Amino acid sequence: MPAVSKGDGMRGLAVFISDIRNCKSKEAEIKRINKELANIRSKFKGDKALDGYSKKKYVCKLLFIFLLGHDIDFGHMEAVNLLSSNRYTEKQIGYLFISVLVNSNSELIRLINNAIKNDLASRNPTFMGLALHCIANVGSREMAEAFAGEIPKILVAGDTMDSVKQSAALCLLRLYRTSPDLVPMGDWTSRVVHLLNDQHLGVVTAATSLITTLAQKNPEEFKTSVSLAVSRLSRIVTSASTDLQDYTYYFVPAPWLSVKLLRLLQCYPPPDPAVRGRLTECLETILNKAQEPPKSKKVQHSNAKNAVLFEAISLIIHHDSEPNLLVRACNQLGQFLQHRETNLRYLALESMCTLASSEFSHEAVKTHIETVINALKTERDVSVRQRAVDLLYAMCDRSNAQQIVAEMLSYLETADYSIREEIVLKVAILAEKYAVDYTWYVDTILNLIRIAGDYVSEEVWYRVIQIVINRDDVQGYAAKTVFEALQAPACHENLVKVGGYILGEFGNLIAGDPRSSPLIQFNLLHSKFHLCSVPTRALLLSTYIKFVNLFPEVKATIQDVLRSDSQLKNADVELQQRAVEYLRLSTVASTDILATVLEEMPPFPERESSILAKLKKKKGPSTVTDLEETKRERSVDVNGGPEPAPASTSAASTPSPSADLLGLGAAPPAPTGPPPASSGGLLVDVFSDSASAAAPLAPGSEDNFARFVCKNNGVLFENQLLQIGLKSEFRQNLGRMFIFYGNKTSTQFLNFTPTLICADDLQANILTKPVDPTVDGGAQVQQVVNIECVSDFTEAPVLNIQFRYGGTFQNVSVKLPITLNKFFQPTEMASQDFFQRWKQLSNPQQEVQNIFKAKHPMDTEITKAKIIGFGSALLEEVDPNPANFVGAGIIHTKTTQIGCLLRLEPNLQAQMYRLTLRTSKDTVSQRLCELLSEQF
């Protein structure tokens, strides 16, 4: 960097900062700032031309004032003038001011771009560096349009200095992340790969970051980088710490570059045999170095060393092709399981979860089962205990299933409330998947309900009933076991549901024992009746009518119960209807009709376990699906065959749990459990995919939609898998929207299909460009949507995204924020013109008024920003009451233009607003009032 000449200390700036710091109150600070702003303004407007030093000093003061939180509305031109200076310090301050204060819509952007082009063409490395930093800091689409074609040429030019190459690579990376469609692929892509061989490691580090991001989207363009990355990695890991002195961090040579190279290699499958041999040597060297005694006791040394090690293990797991390396990696991670550093234990457990899915290392992972169980019992950190549960789940197979399930059940009694539901789901899945003795399965699930009944979801007890009904050899044992469990003084309601269902179907199998006679079974269930919720009572009533068919000797007792006022006059319509229908059925139906209507449930069709589907939804498929897919061949499900693929049954065909079972009348819908009497399976898997229907709107979609009414850019939707970002621009009746779909996982999205669903009344032409059906892990794809507003409209279109992730169908729907106010053009007008126009729009149909309670704090500046963001001009000093807000604008459509005036009157004392809108069209007034009212 050029030496700072005498006088660049800017004493005036130092004095001003000192004055601000010495201010005793906010008022004193504002007074001093206003005085300084007036002085600077007079200097800039004065007749006397300012020299470069003075401009720099005053621009610096403005920048400091802005950073204190005050608005700056002048000085931009002086900052742009500094860019043409030949002095480094003046040019630096100019670029700094522009990076912080100038937005992409500024009228000065063309002048700024010209100054940047001049600096990039100057071949002065210092000036080029400043220009590149400014482009990266601003990172706007306009910057990308202007320089995305120029920067790659600088990057691969032979005479570019190393420091400029670094800045160029990182600048291009920034532009690619913000506007990937504007960065052209061309001849430079093959040349940029060779930067991995550059002698300057700083250039290699920057180039690796750029190539990794580009390779995720365009793997074929950069596949030659694999051999070069392996070569460079080999040189680093085999070098002594003294060989790379400038890039050695606490005795670890170039740790950041090593990690980046290892991540780059994870974008590709295992390389050719020749390159693979060299890569294997590198990975073995990294594993060997991890065994060596530390060269320093400082934590920075171990952090750098372990960062490289864990990234190497991630690459070994990604390739999943070298049994020796996988086992060595597992053993190395096993040593970390008892390390005193909590973060290392956490990372080791997390990595071993993935290793457990490999056929080569699964057995090696199982050898650490005792250590993992001990971690489950003794760890203080709940996140580490959660990873231990995940690892036990991943390493489970037929040989250790009973031990792991027993340990999980034992831990469940004292587990943190935040992870109990997840443990319950995993125990239920493992017990079902690896059950050889089905009596053990029944015992396990009932024990699970006893220990953590509040966390046992409906899917769990649905599934145990499915399996008992499908297995003749376990039905008698299940009836006997639930009967004994129900005799406990306190039973969880889920146990009552299971007991009611199973005894209603198979109570006859234990009725021969005097200790479990039909009357005793009925009295035992009915003793729990008054303690249960409405859905459980509905299920028990269905059990009672089953008893009438199974045990005629208790028919009179059950009829008395059904005939009681507490049933026939029950306040709940579902219970009342069941009691009336069941009593009538038991009275008028013959024995044969009863036997037909109330026959035993048929076996359920097999499909993907709904418990597994529930766990996928709760945890994110990456933690379950990958392990299940790879382990599927090693195991069979509880019904003796490989677990079937998910059924593509539409949710619309799933019978409602409260559907009328007997056909005696239409039962109103209620959230009851599945009654035992039905001619079809009610416990169908409600989590099966429907590839044809669009999903309902995602949770929180409406809130996110409302937030976009007054803004155009941001994140519209985000979950564990997918992030949807928006960047929009509207001009008159035309709009362009860029939708960014980001894959937050490390696994590809397949058959990725976004679809726009438009309401019938949407008076707009919407054209969408198709997107790539495959979205790589960690990658982002962009879709461009062009919009033309034909006439005013009410309903916004719905964006439906369907894709497959890890074999699982995903279906997401969100409202796309294309609203009528987006086609607003602000209109400035004087007070007299405003009220003249206001009177002209006096027709009752043209005015809509809404008085509503404030939903957010009544902040004046935020209110102004929202009105401006809504699209109208904010008219100052128009309303006689200065506390009121007045706006004006024109809605542009293809067929007409609609003038709009608005007035917002806040009442701070009552925390209320009155919003009045007048437009030349009544439907427009109504819609704009609805949209704007939701913002305050």
Side-chain angles (χ1 to χ4, degrees):
M1 183 183 293
V4 178
S5 62
K6 187 176 180 181
D8 280 337
M10 292 188 288
R11 183 173 176 276
L13 175 65
V15 170
F16 174 61
I17 293 173
S18 177
D19 289 347
I20 294 295
R21 287 177 176 171
N22 292 331
C23 288
K24 302 296 185 184
S25 65
K26 184 71 175 175
E27 290 75 16
E29 178 184 311
I30 293 173
K31 184 177 179 181
R32 179 68 182 90
I33 287 173
N34 288 337
K35 179 182 176 183
E36 191 64 38
L37 286 174
N39 178 51
I40 297 172
R41 199 186 297 267
S42 66
K43 293 290 185 183
F44 284 165
K45 289 185 176 179
D47 298 332
K48 186 180 177 182
L50 295 175
D51 60 7
Y53 169 78
S54 299
K55 281 185 185 177
K56 177 186 69 172
K57 179 178 67 174
Y58 292 134
V59 167
C60 250
K61 286 183 179 181
L62 290 176
L63 183 58
F64 177 70
I65 291 170
F66 176 79
L67 295 177
L68 288 177
H70 301 271
D71 290 334
I72 300 297
D73 57 2
F74 69 100
H76 300 74
M77 194 64 207
E78 283 70 18
V80 173
N81 290 338
L82 285 175
L83 300 185
S84 59
S85 172
N86 288 323
R87 292 173 62 88
Y88 168 76
T89 53
E90 293 172 9
K91 192 181 288 285
Q92 180 193 35
I93 295 300
Y95 275 123
L96 182 59
F97 185 93
I98 286 162
S99 298
V100 175
L101 269 87
V102 176
N103 60 47
S104 58
N105 297 322
S106 171
E107 298 173 355
L108 301 174
I109 201 71
R110 186 173 296 176
L111 292 174
I112 295 169
N113 286 352
N114 286 337
I116 291 174
K117 284 179 181 176
N118 291 336
D119 283 337
L120 291 179
S122 69
R123 314 311 294 173
N124 181 320
T126 307
F127 293 172
M128 292 176 76
L130 286 174
L132 290 166
H133 292 173
C134 179
I135 296 169
N137 285 333
V138 176
S140 65
R141 188 168 183 82
E142 289 72 17
M143 286 286 188
E145 288 174 346
F147 301 110
E150 190 70 25
I151 296 172
K153 297 175 185 176
I154 297 172
L155 179 60
V156 298
D159 58 346
T160 304
M161 290 188 64
D162 293 335
S163 60
V164 178
K165 283 183 181 178
Q166 281 180 265
S167 298
L170 296 176
C171 180
L172 191 58
L173 175 59
R174 161 76 166 150
L175 295 182
Y176 184 79
R177 284 175 174 166
T178 55
S179 305
D181 59 309
L182 296 179
V183 178
M185 298 291 122
D187 295 339
W188 65 272
T189 54
S190 59
R191 297 173 63 187
V192 79
V193 168
H194 292 284
L195 291 178
L196 295 176
N197 272 337
D198 199 280
Q199 293 182 346
H200 194 282
L201 287 191
V203 174
V204 181
T205 306
T208 305
S209 297
L210 174 63
I211 293 168
T212 302
T213 302
L214 294 172
Q216 289 171 350
K217 175 71 176 174
N218 309 286
E220 285 300 312
E221 294 264 4
F222 299 94
K223 63 183 179 182
T224 55
S225 63
V226 173
S227 58
L228 296 175
V230 171
S231 175
R232 174 61 79 174
L233 183 66
S234 176
R235 278 180 273 166
I236 293 172
V237 298
T238 56
S239 66
S241 58
T242 54
D243 294 345
L244 303 170
Q245 288 186 350
D246 291 341
Y247 287 87
T248 297
Y249 180 78
Y250 287 89
F251 303 101
V252 181
W256 282 275
L257 177 54
S258 301
V259 167
K260 287 177 185 291
L261 289 169
L262 289 164
R263 283 185 183 166
L264 171 58
L265 292 171
Q266 289 176 53
C267 297
Y268 292 93
D272 298 333
V275 180
R276 186 185 300 185
R278 193 170 184 184
L279 177 58
T280 302
E281 289 177 10
C282 292
L283 296 172
E284 286 177 341
T285 304
I286 294 171
L287 292 173
N288 291 336
K289 285 186 176 181
Q291 300 287 347
E292 296 174 359
K295 296 179 180 177
S296 170
K297 293 183 179 180
K298 293 189 175 181
V299 68
Q300 291 92 334
H301 171 72
S302 60
N303 283 348
K305 188 175 174 182
N306 290 331
V308 178
L309 174 63
F310 275 104
E311 207 59 54
I313 290 173
S314 295
L315 180 60
I316 292 169
I317 294 169
H318 172 75
H319 285 170
D320 195 20
S321 59
E322 295 288 340
N324 180 46
L325 285 177
L326 286 161
V327 172
R328 285 196 61 188
C330 181
N331 294 336
Q332 180 62 52
L333 292 172
Q335 295 176 20
F336 287 142
L337 292 179
Q338 295 177 306
H339 199 279
R340 60 187 178 85
E341 176 61 44
T342 305
N343 288 335
L344 279 181
R345 297 197 300 274
Y346 178 94
L347 291 170
L349 288 165
E350 189 174 50
S351 297
M352 288 185 81
C353 284
T354 317
L355 274 174
S357 66
S358 171
E359 59 180 326
F360 301 120
S361 54
H362 183 77
E363 292 301 320
V365 172
K366 284 168 56 180
T367 61
H368 299 283
I369 185 170
E370 296 299 333
T371 308
V372 180
I373 290 172
N374 186 55
L376 192 63
K377 296 176 179 177
T378 60
E379 271 291 347
R380 291 183 179 182
D381 192 311
V382 62
S383 60
V384 181
R385 293 198 297 273
Q386 189 165 2
R387 291 288 81 79
V389 171
D390 291 342
L391 181 52
L392 285 174
Y393 176 76
M395 68 168 63
C396 187
D397 59 20
R398 288 203 183 281
S399 66
N400 57 18
Q402 294 198 11
Q403 178 189 4
I404 287 176
V405 168
E407 291 294 346
M408 283 188 169
L409 283 172
S410 174
Y411 171 61
L412 189 56
E413 298 192 37
T414 57
D416 299 83
Y417 293 112
S418 59
I419 61 173
R420 285 194 179 189
E421 185 181 2
E422 188 181 321
I423 297 174
V424 166
L425 291 172
K426 287 180 173 176
V427 168
I429 291 168
L430 295 178
E432 173 188 341
K433 194 172 186 63
Y434 300 113
V436 178
D437 178 1
Y438 294 104
T439 60
W440 170 75
Y441 170 75
V442 172
D443 289 338
T444 299
I445 299 299
L446 293 181
N447 200 16
L448 189 65
I449 295 173
R450 179 186 64 79
I451 294 171
D454 288 339
Y455 299 91
V456 175
S457 61
E458 288 189 334
E459 290 76 21
V460 174
W461 72 265
Y462 283 7
R463 191 64 179 166
V464 69
I465 288 170
Q466 284 182 334
I467 288 167
V468 169
I469 286 175
N470 286 10
R471 302 289 310 187
D472 296 340
D473 54 342
V474 79
Q475 291 166 355
Y477 180 80
K480 176 175 176 292
T481 307
V482 296
F483 176 78
E484 293 172 352
L486 285 170
Q487 292 176 337
C491 293
H492 194 274
E493 190 168 332
N494 281 333
L495 183 60
V496 177
K497 291 177 183 177
V498 174
Y501 206 127
I502 289 179
L503 291 178
E505 294 293 328
F506 311 114
N508 60 315
L509 299 179
I510 60 170
D513 189 330
R515 292 170 297 180
S516 54
S517 66
L519 187 59
I520 292 175
Q521 289 185 42
F522 170 74
N523 288 334
L524 179 61
L525 284 175
H526 197 55
S527 68
K528 315 290 182 185
F529 187 89
H530 66 288
L531 300 172
C532 297
S533 63
V534 169
T536 306
R537 292 186 190 186
L539 188 148
L540 288 176
L541 289 178
S542 298
T543 301
Y544 297 167
I545 194 65
K546 285 270 187 174
F547 276 5
V548 170
N549 179 46
L550 291 175
F551 313 122
E553 60 267 35
V554 297
K555 178 177 180 179
T557 306
I558 291 172
Q559 285 180 332
D560 289 341
V561 169
L562 296 175
R563 196 178 288 117
S564 65
D565 285 350
S566 61
Q567 305 303 333
L568 292 182
K569 297 182 179 179
N570 197 292
D572 186 88
V573 68
E574 173 73 17
L575 294 181
Q576 185 187 89
Q577 182 169 351
R578 287 193 185 217
V580 170
E581 291 179 354
Y582 291 166
L583 178 61
R584 188 66 178 156
L585 179 67
S586 67
T587 305
V588 303
S590 66
T591 307
D592 292 340
I593 292 175
L594 273 179
T596 303
V597 173
L598 303 173
E599 65 180 350
E600 189 178 298
M601 284 283 288
F604 288 93
E606 277 308 317
R607 61 185 59 180
E608 180 190 40
S609 167
S610 57
I611 311 175
L612 187 59
K614 170 100 172 173
L615 183 59
K616 289 177 187 176
K617 289 195 171 192
K618 178 176 176 60
K619 187 81 172 170
S622 60
T623 59
V624 179
T625 308
D626 298 339
L627 305 182
E628 293 299 318
E629 291 294 331
T630 52
K631 291 162 66 178
R632 199 166 280 177
E633 293 182 4
R634 292 201 297 268
S635 61
V636 292
D637 75 348
V638 73
N639 295 291
E643 193 170 55
S648 296
T649 307
S650 171
S653 65
T654 304
S656 166
S658 60
D660 182 23
L661 304 178
L662 306 174
L664 302 178
T672 64
S678 175
S679 59
L682 283 184
L683 294 181
V684 295
D685 186 5
V686 297
F687 293 101
S688 59
D689 298 332
S690 171
S692 58
L697 290 179
S701 174
E702 289 287 353
D703 292 339
N704 284 343
F705 175 84
R707 280 197 285 270
F708 273 80
V709 169
C710 292
K711 68 174 187 176
N712 288 334
N713 305 330
V715 176
L716 178 64
F717 170 82
E718 188 169 14
N719 63 10
Q720 292 175 317
L721 307 180
L722 175 70
Q723 183 186 71
I724 304 175
L726 290 185
K727 189 173 182 182
S728 314
E729 50 190 15
F730 294 88
R731 191 165 295 135
Q732 295 187 350
N733 69 313
L734 300 177
R736 182 169 60 171
M737 181 176 285
F738 299 88
I739 307 175
F740 301 94
Y741 306 98
N743 182 347
K744 295 173 62 178
T745 73
S746 57
T747 306
Q748 278 188 334
F749 291 166
L750 301 176
N751 302 332
F752 189 85
T753 312
T755 309
L756 268 182
I757 303 168
C758 299
D760 294 335
D761 71 333
L762 181 59
Q763 296 292 316
N765 296 326
I766 299 180
L767 299 175
T768 58
K769 295 185 179 179
V771 297
D772 194 325
T774 301
V775 183
D776 294 330
Q780 185 185 77
V781 296
Q782 175 185 291
Q783 185 176 32
V784 181
V785 180
N786 292 310
I787 309 134
E788 181 185 31
C789 181
V790 179
S791 182
D792 61 284
F793 59 93
T794 303
E795 289 297 322
V798 172
L799 177 64
N800 176 246
I801 303 103
Q802 300 183 1
F803 60 94
R804 290 208 164 266
Y805 171 85
T808 306
F809 177 79
Q810 304 290 333
N811 194 349
V812 175
S813 290
V814 293
K815 255 186 169 180
L816 204 59
I818 300 175
T819 50
L820 187 57
N821 65 293
K822 298 297 182 185
F823 305 95
F824 235 139
Q825 291 296 309
T827 303
E828 296 289 341
M829 57 175 65
S831 175
Q832 183 179 353
D833 298 334
F834 177 87
F835 285 107
Q836 183 181 351
R837 180 64 178 151
W838 183 266
K839 290 175 183 177
Q840 290 172 356
L841 297 171
S842 56
N843 193 314
Q845 287 81 25
Q846 294 174 330
E847 179 182 296
V848 174
Q849 192 172 87
N850 186 20
I851 300 173
F852 55 94
K853 194 81 174 172
K855 305 184 190 71
H856 308 289
M858 299 178 74
D859 183 279
T860 301
E861 294 304 316
I862 292 176
T863 303
K864 288 181 179 179
K866 285 185 176 179
I867 291 174
I868 294 170
F870 190 69
S872 72
L874 184 65
L875 306 181
E876 301 283 358
E877 299 177 356
V878 169
D879 198 289
N881 184 348
N884 293 344
F885 304 92
V886 174
I890 298 173
I891 296 285
H892 287 260
T893 71
K894 185 178 180 181
T895 55
T896 185
Q897 295 184 4
I898 305 161
C900 308
L901 302 178
L902 69 87
R903 188 183 191 195
L904 182 69
E905 301 166 81
N907 185 334
L908 290 173
Q909 188 174 359
Q911 290 290 296
M912 301 277 287
Y913 285 103
R914 179 165 66 183
L915 174 64
T916 309
L917 265 147
R918 291 188 179 183
T919 77
S920 52
K921 194 170 183 181
D922 56 342
T923 54
V924 173
S925 301
Q926 187 66 44
R927 182 55 179 158
L928 293 181
C929 187
E930 291 170 0
L931 289 169
L932 193 54
S933 297
E934 292 298 316
Q935 301 304 308
F936 302 108

